Amino acid sequence: MQLTVWTYEGPPHVGAMRVATGMRDLHYVLHAPQGDTYADLLFTMIERRDHRPPVTYTTFQARDLGKDTAELFKTAARDAYDRFQPQAMIVGSSCTAELIQDDPHGLSLTMGLPCPVIPLELPSYSRKENWGASETFYQIVRTLADKERKPLPAVGENGPRRPRANLLGPTALGFRHRDDVAEITRLLGDLGIDVNLVAPMGSSPADIAGIGEADFNICLYPEIAAQACSWLERTFRQKTVKTVPIGLLATREFVSEVCAVAGLPVPTDLDQGRMGWWSRSIDSTYLTGKRVFIFGDGTHAVAAARVASEELGFKVVGLGCYNREFAREVRAAAEKYGVEPLISDDYLAVEEAIEAAAPELVLGTQMERHIAKRLRLPCAVISAPVHVQDFPARHSPQMGFEGANVLFDTWVHPLVMGLEEHLLTMFREDFEFSDAAGPSHLGHASAPAAPAAEQAESEVATITAPAPAPAEEGGWTNEALAELGKIPFFVRGKARRNTERYASEHGVTTITRDTLYEAKSHYAR
Amino acid sequence: MSSASPASGCDAPPVGVDGILRERGQREVFCGLTGIIWLHRKIQDAFFLVVGSRTCAHLLQSAAGVMVFAEPRFGTAIIEEKDLAGLADANEELDRVVNRLLARRPDIKLLFLVGSCPSEVIKLDLSRAAQRLNGRFSPNVRVLNYSGSGIETTFTQGEDACLSALVPDLAFSDEKQLMIVGSLPDIVEDQLTRLLGDLGISKVVSLPARKAGQMPGVGPNTKYLLAQPFLAETGTALDKRGAEHLPALFPFGAEGTTAWLHAAAQAFGVPEARFEQVIAGPRERARKGLALYREKLAGKRIFFMPDSQLEVPLARFLAGELGMELVEVGTPYLHKGHLIDELAALPPGTMISEGQDVDKQLDRVRAARPDLTVCGLGLANPLEKEGLSTKWAIELVFSPIHGYEQAGDLAELFSRPLHRRDLLRV
C-alpha cells in the first residue's frame, strides 16, 4: 500500500476516458461502481466541455453484487448502443469491476452489438492514466485501421499531390493539446503538407479506418501515441516523426525531420516567431544562469530543460518526471545537464528536491505551483496535471514557433524583470524601496503592514529595524543579518543556508559580515 | 406534477402506489468518500484514511480542489497489486501505513479507516484492523472505521456512515440534554446553539463535536434534532442508545428553522410566549432577507436531480417560502420516517423520484425545460449549453445554508444563476 494525498495521474480508465472524450461517435461502456462518475467533472469543469463525456457507467451497488452484475453490464451496453448509436464502442472495467471479474470482453462479444466493440484490459492496480490512454488509443487503432487503405499515389491525374501526415496523440484533458494541434497543422500547411487525420482528438472511428492513407505519422505526445505509432510503422510502413516540437530549436529540428520524411526541401523563409530575438535582447541578460528546477511528464520536462538551458540561458538544477514509462529519456537528459534525475510520483519527494536545489524558478505541474508558492519561489506550469486556469480561452500553444513565444512570456513573467530587479537591489537600503516598505501606491499609512509581506518580508522587517540584541539565534551578528537582508529575497534563503553550513563546517560560532562573504566565495558557482 | 411526464419517446415512469417514482439505472452521483472533504474540516483532530485504489485518491483530489495542497487530514492508502495477492499481506501493509502516518502526525487523536469499493469487494476487514490498531495506539489515538464506498453509500451518506460509527463509541450520559446531529459550519452551529440556549434549554451538544475528545455523551435523557436529512443510520444508532428523535422540518428558511426550534421547545417544555419572544427577531430578519429573492424566484420552475438527500427539504423551502414551482424532486434515497414532516409540507402532487436512470431523467429535464435545474458538476455545463440554467448542487453541501441568518444566502444561491442569465449579453 502506498499512502497518498495527491496523485499526478489518475487510474488507467481515466486515460481511456480521455481518448473516448477526445473522439467523436465512439462510446465507452465502463463497468464501474456508483461514484466513479466523478471523472465526468474533470471534462465538464476543468476542460469546460459543453457535452457529457461519451461514457456509460454500469454504476453497480452492493445490492447488485449478490445478483448478476454481468447482466447489468449487458443492459448498460445495449441501452448505450440504442441511445447513442456510436460507430464503435470500447468496453472495460474500472478498479472495482476488475476485482469482481465479470468479463466485459466476452459479454460484449456474445451480445452481437451491431458495431465494432473494442475490449480494454487496463490493470488498475499497477498502471496509471497515461498508460491507460496509450493502451486505449493503440487498441482502437489496431482494431479499426483498415489495412487495405494505403496512401494514394504520389502523382495523380492533377499532378503531384501534397504529402499527408497523421497528427497522433492529442486527447481530451491534454495540456494545451487544442492549441498545439492548431499550431502544428498551420506549420505543416506552410511546409506544404496536409493533415490526413488528427487522432484521437476530433476523429471518429470511421476516420481512424483511414489512418493508413497518410504518408507518415507525427507522434506529438509520445506518452499517448508512441505505442500506436510503432504499430503503424510495422503495419503500414509509415515513418514516425519523433521530434517533439516544443521550443525554438526543437521546432527547427522538427521542421527538418518532417521535410526529410516528406521528401520536401526545408524552407529558408519560415516565420520563426520572436522568441530568439527576445532571448538575445539585453533585457534578458539577467536571465543568464538563473537556477531552474523542472518537473512534469517526461516529454514536457525534457523539452523544457532544453529550452531553459539552450534558449534562455538558465541553469538546470533539477529535472524529473512522474511517469516512470519515460524515466529513460529523463535520465539521459539529466545526465546532459549534470543533475540527479528525479523519477517519482510522490510530491513530497519533489518538494524536498526543490528545497535542496534552491532554484530561482520552478517549472512544473499544478502541484509544483503550490510547492513553489509555499517556498515563495516564482513558478510556471509546463505540464499536466493542471487546473482550470491552464485550459485558457486564448490561443496558447506550447508547440511550434508560436509555442516558443508563449513559453518565453510564461516563464519569464514570474521573474522580476531585469531593470526592475537591478533598481530594487541598488536602492534596497532606501527607505521607500526597502523590503519592509509596502507598495507606495497603497499610501504610506499602510506601509508597515502592507501586503508586501507576501514576499516573506516579515523576516527582513525585523532585521532592518534596529535590533538591540548583540547576536541572534544561530550565531548571526546583527551586522551580518543586516547584510543578509540586502541580498535579494529569492536567493536569501540559499545564502543563509550556505553561510550556516560554512560556519558549522569551519567551526565558526559567530557569523559576521565577513563569514557571509567567505561562505559566498567558498560556494561560488 | 403532470408537466413532468415525458412528452414523447420514453416509457411512462414506474410510479409506485405512494406516488413516488423509483428508478434503477446509471446514477450520476458521488460516493460517500466525498463526505471526508467537509468532515475533516469539522473534526479538527481527526484523520480520514481511505483504504482504496488510485481511483479513490483521484476522486478525493478532484472533489477537494485546492484543499489537497493544504496538508489536509485525509489520505488514501492505495491498494497495489501485491496487496491483492494475499489478504494477510494487506493487513500488514495497512499497519505499516498507519504507523508511518501517526508518527508523522502526532496531533491526530481520532483515525477513521474508511472503506471503499475495492476494500469492500476484497472483504478487507477494516473493523478488525481498527480493533487491532486500537490495541496498539490507545489511549493516544482512537481508531474507528466506516464505509464510504460507492457500492454502499451515495455522497452525503458518507457522513451518515461516519457519524453512526461514532455513536457506539460515545460515553453514556444520563443528563437531560439536546443533541444537534449532523455536521454544520461552526458559525451556524453557534447560532443555532445560542438560540436553543436562549429558549432555556440548558444543555445543547453537537454530534460531531469539533474535537475527538469532546464528543458528547448519550443516553435515555438525550433528545436529538437532526440538522441534516441524510442521517438514517446515525438516527438508528442513537435510538439504540436510548436517545429520542424529535421529528421536525429541517432548518432551511424562516419556516423550516422555526419548526425545527419549535420541536425542541415543545420537547423541553418551553412556554410558547418565550419561544415567540426569542425567535421573533431572527425570524423577521430571515423573512426580510427572503423577500428580496421572492420577486425573482416566484413562479420559476425548478427540477432537482438526485445528489445529497437535501433535495426534499430544499424543494419544500423553495416552494413554500419563495413560491417556486417544483417540476421533479429527485433524491438518491428517501427516508420517509425522517422526512415525514417535509413530505407533508410539499405542495400536493409534487413529483418525487428516488434513485436514478440518468439518461431517462435528462430526457424529462429536456421535455420540461425548467427555469432552473439543480444537478452535479458532470451535468451542469452540458445542460447550460442546451440553454437550461443550472445550479450545481455540491455548493449546497459546502456552504452555510441552515438557520435564520443564512436563509437569504440560501435563496441567493438559487437566484444567482437566473440573475446572471439576465445579465449576460454574450
Side-chain angles (χ1 to χ4, degrees):
Chain A
M1 277 180 204
Q2 189 200 358
L3 179 61
T4 312
V5 174
W6 201 77
T7 64
Y8 284 96
E9 290 184 74
H13 72 258
V14 169
M17 284 183 72
R18 287 178 51 189
V19 171
T21 306
M23 290 180 64
R24 294 179 289 115
D25 297 319
L26 176 91
H27 202 83
Y28 185 13
V29 180
L30 180 60
H31 204 16
Q34 162 176 275
D36 277 9
T37 51
Y38 81 86
D40 283 359
L41 72 86
L42 303 173
F43 298 92
T44 58
M45 298 304 291
I46 295 178
E47 206 179 7
R48 265 187 256 249
R49 288 197 170 249
D50 57 13
H51 282 82
R52 295 173 65 207
V55 183
T56 295
Y57 306 78
T58 56
T59 56
F60 55 83
Q61 293 173 269
R63 59 184 172 192
D64 302 315
L65 287 179
K67 291 180 271 166
D68 205 354
T69 47
E71 198 52 46
L72 203 62
F73 175 84
K74 284 160 85 170
T75 311
R78 190 169 294 113
D79 287 354
Y81 181 80
D82 291 345
R83 180 174 283 270
F84 300 105
Q85 305 269 312
Q87 293 173 8
M89 278 170 46
I90 54 179
V91 300
S93 297
S94 81
C95 49
T96 305
E98 195 182 326
L99 297 171
I100 60 175
Q101 298 184 329
D102 290 330
D103 172 19
H105 181 202
L107 291 170
S108 49
L109 281 184
T110 60
M111 291 174 63
L113 288 164
C115 72
V117 177
I118 304 158
L120 300 174
E121 290 288 340
L122 305 176
S124 315
Y125 296 91
S126 55
R127 302 292 190 164
K128 296 181 232 166
E129 181 178 328
N130 276 327
W131 191 90
S134 165
E135 173 69 11
T136 304
F137 184 48
Y138 166 62
Q139 294 298 348
I140 287 174
V141 168
R142 233 181 76 134
T143 313
L144 298 178
D146 183 345
K147 289 183 189 155
E148 303 304 314
R149 290 170 71 174
K150 298 279 168 65
L152 299 170
V155 182
E157 281 171 18
N158 307 318
R161 66 168 176 85
R162 284 157 62 110
R164 294 157 69 87
N166 293 322
L167 281 186
L168 302 183
T171 63
L173 266 189
F175 177 64
R176 307 296 165 86
H177 287 194
R178 176 196 72 195
D179 300 339
D180 285 347
V181 167
E183 205 49 41
I184 296 304
T185 304
R186 193 169 69 187
L187 179 59
L188 292 174
D190 291 349
L191 297 174
I193 296 165
D194 291 331
V195 171
N196 175 58
L197 171 71
V198 179
M201 192 150 85
S203 61
S204 68
D207 298 334
I208 301 271
I211 200 167
E213 289 177 357
D215 297 298
F216 62 98
N217 291 311
I218 293 173
C219 182
L220 272 193
Y221 304 101
E223 267 85 352
I224 292 150
Q227 201 185 355
C229 284
S230 107
W231 183 82
L232 288 165
E233 227 170 288
R234 292 195 303 276
T235 311
F236 288 94
R237 310 254 165 264
Q238 289 168 328
K239 286 192 175 142
T240 308
V241 171
K242 287 183 173 154
T243 306
V244 177
I246 298 178
L248 188 57
L249 298 174
T251 303
R252 281 184 196 151
E253 278 168 24
F254 173 82
V255 168
S256 307
E257 191 182 350
V258 165
C259 289
V261 169
L264 295 170
V266 179
T268 50
D269 56 345
L270 271 185
D271 176 3
Q272 302 203 356
R274 300 178 195 92
M275 201 266 210
W277 163 240
W278 248 239
S279 190
R280 288 196 312 278
S281 76
I282 55 157
D283 194 56
S284 300
T285 313
Y286 79 104
L287 299 175
T288 315
K290 284 262 183 214
R291 299 165 59 81
V292 58
F293 188 100
I294 300 168
F295 194 83
D297 68 42
T299 300
H300 282 89
V302 170
R306 183 177 187 194
V307 173
S309 132
E310 295 175 35
E311 300 177 24
L312 291 168
F314 292 159
K315 179 173 171 53
V316 176
V317 296
L319 179 61
C321 73
Y322 54 79
N323 50 338
R324 202 158 280 285
E325 293 90 342
F326 282 72
R328 191 187 308 167
E329 287 81 348
V330 171
R331 286 206 181 94
E335 199 180 330
K336 199 163 121 197
Y337 303 111
V339 296
E340 194 61 30
L342 175 67
I343 315 296
S344 174
D345 61 354
D346 179 357
Y347 73 98
L348 294 172
V350 178
E351 179 162 15
E352 266 172 35
I354 292 178
E355 258 187 302
E360 292 159 76
L361 175 67
V362 177
L363 300 176
T365 72
Q366 176 75 1
M367 186 34 113
E368 283 66 48
R369 212 166 64 87
H370 283 267
I371 292 172
K373 197 189 249 176
R374 190 151 44 210
L375 299 174
R376 299 192 167 90
L377 293 168
C379 177
V381 170
I382 58 157
S383 157
V386 293
H387 205 45
V388 61
Q389 67 267 45
D390 276 298
F391 285 94
R394 67 178 185 279
H395 184 58
S396 196
Q398 303 284 289
M399 291 183 173
F401 296 119
E402 178 61 19
N405 293 342
V406 170
L407 293 185
F408 183 91
D409 285 347
T410 314
W411 299 6
V412 170
H413 279 182
L415 300 168
V416 186
M417 302 310 286
L419 189 59
E420 203 178 321
E421 177 178 324
H422 180 65
L423 290 175
L424 277 174
T425 312
M426 204 159 130
F427 297 112
R428 186 156 292 275
E429 289 298 272
D430 216 84
F431 74 98
E432 276 172 309
F433 294 107
S434 84
D435 285 337
S440 56
H441 62 270
L442 291 179
H444 283 91
S446 66
E454 213 181 353
Q455 304 269 34
E457 304 303 316
S458 54
E459 179 196 8
V460 185
T462 57
I463 293 163
T464 43
E472 299 235 335
E473 61 167 317
W476 286 79
T477 62
N478 282 327
E479 180 193 70
L481 276 178
E483 198 72 5
L484 182 68
K486 295 175 197 168
I487 296 172
F489 67 87
F490 42 84
V491 285
R492 195 179 301 140
K494 182 169 172 263
R496 178 171 207 139
R497 275 196 302 279
N498 280 351
T499 308
E500 285 169 1
R501 194 168 82 190
Y502 176 86
S504 82
E505 281 170 9
H506 292 78
V508 178
T509 48
T510 308
I511 296 175
T512 62
R513 193 154 45 192
D514 284 342
T515 323
L516 182 67
Y517 286 117
E518 274 157 25
K520 184 172 189 285
S521 73
H522 183 78
Y523 292 111
R525 20 169 133 120
Chain B
M1 224 165 257
S2 59
S3 62
S5 56
S8 64
C10 48
D11 309 336
V15 178
V17 284
D18 52 1
I20 291 166
L21 167 64
R22 289 190 178 78
E23 273 187 320
R24 299 286 308 277
Q26 181 182 324
R27 294 165 67 103
E28 182 90 15
V29 288
F30 280 125
C31 65
L33 294 181
T34 329
I36 291 170
I37 312 285
W38 64 88
L39 283 167
H40 92 281
R41 302 310 312 157
K42 185 69 195 176
I43 313 177
Q44 293 160 11
D45 50 4
F47 193 100
F48 294 78
L49 180 64
V50 177
V51 182
S53 63
R54 179 167 298 280
T55 310
C56 307
H58 196 236
L59 157 88
L60 281 178
Q61 87 182 37
S62 308
V66 292
M67 268 193 209
V68 299
F69 301 111
E71 280 284 312
R73 280 172 287 100
F74 61 79
T76 309
I78 295 185
I79 299 173
E80 293 167 303
E81 219 156 29
K82 58 178 196 259
D83 303 305
L84 296 173
L87 287 186
D89 196 19
N91 280 312
E92 277 170 35
E93 282 287 294
L94 181 58
D95 289 7
R96 184 182 59 79
V97 166
V98 170
N99 277 331
R100 226 186 101 201
L101 171 69
L102 291 178
R104 251 188 43 198
R105 300 294 299 266
D107 50 322
I108 300 306
K109 298 282 175 266
L110 178 59
L111 175 68
F112 286 103
L113 302 179
V114 188
S116 65
C117 302
S119 76
E120 296 295 328
V121 167
I122 63 170
K123 306 235 181 298
L124 181 58
D125 192 342
L126 291 182
S127 70
R128 267 185 47 204
Q131 270 175 26
R132 187 173 66 236
L133 291 163
N134 259 324
R136 187 172 315 161
F137 294 107
S138 154
N140 293 332
V141 185
R142 181 87 183 119
V143 185
L144 295 174
N145 85 287
Y146 71 90
S147 172
S149 75
I151 56 178
E152 290 157 305
T153 57
T154 304
F155 197 27
T156 48
Q157 278 180 308
E159 174 170 338
D160 188 27
C162 172
L163 299 190
S164 62
L166 273 173
V167 172
D169 216 46
L170 299 179
F172 175 81
S173 162
D174 214 11
E175 211 174 339
K176 190 171 177 190
Q177 62 177 2
L178 177 68
M179 185 187 282
I180 302 175
V181 184
S183 78
L184 293 169
D186 289 350
I187 183 167
V188 177
E189 186 183 305
D190 291 343
Q191 287 166 6
L192 293 174
T193 307
R194 213 157 44 222
L195 279 171
L196 290 161
D198 291 348
L199 290 175
I201 301 173
S202 55
K203 187 161 185 205
V204 181
V205 295
S206 289
L207 183 72
R210 293 174 202 184
K211 295 268 187 176
Q214 295 164 6
M215 291 297 166
V218 67
N221 284 320
T222 302
K223 297 182 197 298
Y224 69 92
L225 271 174
L226 294 176
Q228 303 280 20
F230 45 73
L231 298 172
E233 298 295 323
T234 309
T236 309
L238 285 167
D239 295 344
K240 270 192 206 151
R241 297 286 310 260
E244 185 194 339
H245 176 221
L246 304 177
L249 289 181
F250 288 89
F252 300 117
E255 307 314 316
T257 308
T258 303
W260 190 79
L261 292 167
H262 195 245
Q266 283 193 314
F268 283 78
V270 177
E272 285 299 314
R274 174 152 190 193
F275 179 76
E276 267 307 313
Q277 184 201 342
V278 168
I279 64 143
R283 184 177 57 193
E284 197 43 41
R285 273 203 300 278
R287 282 177 179 165
K288 250 191 231 156
L290 288 173
L292 277 171
Y293 296 103
R294 199 181 159 89
E295 283 169 41
K296 292 176 187 160
L297 291 173
K300 294 281 193 298
R301 299 162 64 245
I302 189 166
F303 192 118
F304 281 89
M305 307 280 284
D307 193 59
S308 61
Q309 297 184 50
L310 290 166
E311 296 84 3
V312 170
L314 290 178
R316 178 266 304 159
F317 159 71
L318 292 170
E321 299 188 40
L322 294 161
M324 292 188 85
E325 277 181 39
L326 309 175
V327 179
E328 177 173 331
V329 182
T331 176
Y333 175 69
L334 188 68
H335 190 293
K336 282 191 181 170
H338 287 169
L339 290 177
I340 188 161
D341 289 11
E342 294 286 354
L343 291 170
L346 283 176
T350 299
M351 157 91 144
I352 299 174
S353 62
E354 183 183 13
Q356 186 176 35
D357 184 332
V358 69
D359 285 310
K360 287 185 185 160
Q361 195 168 36
L362 285 171
D363 287 342
R364 295 201 294 276
V365 170
R366 292 178 184 122
R369 293 200 71 81
D371 295 298
L372 192 62
T373 305
V374 184
C375 62
L377 289 174
L379 300 172
N381 267 335
L383 285 175
E384 289 282 349
K385 185 66 180 181
E386 294 180 31
L388 292 159
S389 286
T390 60
K391 163 77 217 111
W392 48 284
I394 308 167
E395 195 176 10
L396 299 164
V397 177
F398 292 144
S399 309
I401 57 170
H402 296 69
Y404 289 127
E405 314 302 345
Q406 282 68 238
D409 303 343
L410 178 55
E412 201 270 341
L413 288 178
F414 291 93
S415 88
R416 194 186 301 160
L418 298 174
H419 177 55
R420 182 166 181 79
R421 183 151 206 198
D422 292 341
L423 211 61
L424 293 187
R425 293 286 173 268
V426 291

